Amino acid sequence: VVEPAIRLANEGFPVTEALAKRLNAVLADEKTTDKGFKWTFGKKGGWKAGDELIQLHLARALRSIAEKGSDGFY
């Protein structure tokens, strides 16, 4: 069930112009203080259309859940 999400997180996908603008806006907003969000979605120089968004940590977490069930989650 989670294999498509694992593949997408592992291989990434091209960022659209709209997503790039939104990510850049949220990351630049002084109210965005969540360090995890900034670590996960921050990109030196900012996002632009066509950049690849790859989330290897998410892929590993999802793979662990797929293989170990709830034990992989906790």
Side-chain angles (χ1 to χ4, degrees):
V1 172
V2 296
E3 189 56 42
I6 294 170
R7 187 172 44 257
L8 191 59
N10 197 49
E11 296 174 9
F13 62 91
V15 171
T16 64
E17 185 174 339
L19 179 56
K21 285 181 181 179
R22 189 66 188 135
L23 283 171
N24 291 332
V26 171
L27 289 163
D29 189 331
E30 291 178 4
K31 292 181 244 169
T32 304
T33 59
D34 187 302
K35 291 179 183 178
F37 181 86
K38 289 181 177 186
W39 180 83
T40 301
F41 295 105
K43 184 174 186 314
K44 187 171 182 155
W47 290 96
K48 62 183 182 303
D51 286 344
E52 290 289 318
L53 177 56
I54 298 172
Q55 295 178 288
L56 298 177
H57 289 87
L58 176 59
R60 282 192 289 272
L62 291 173
R63 190 171 295 109
S64 179
I65 293 167
E67 292 171 359
K68 301 175 187 172
S70 62
D71 288 338
F73 182 78
Y74 296 102

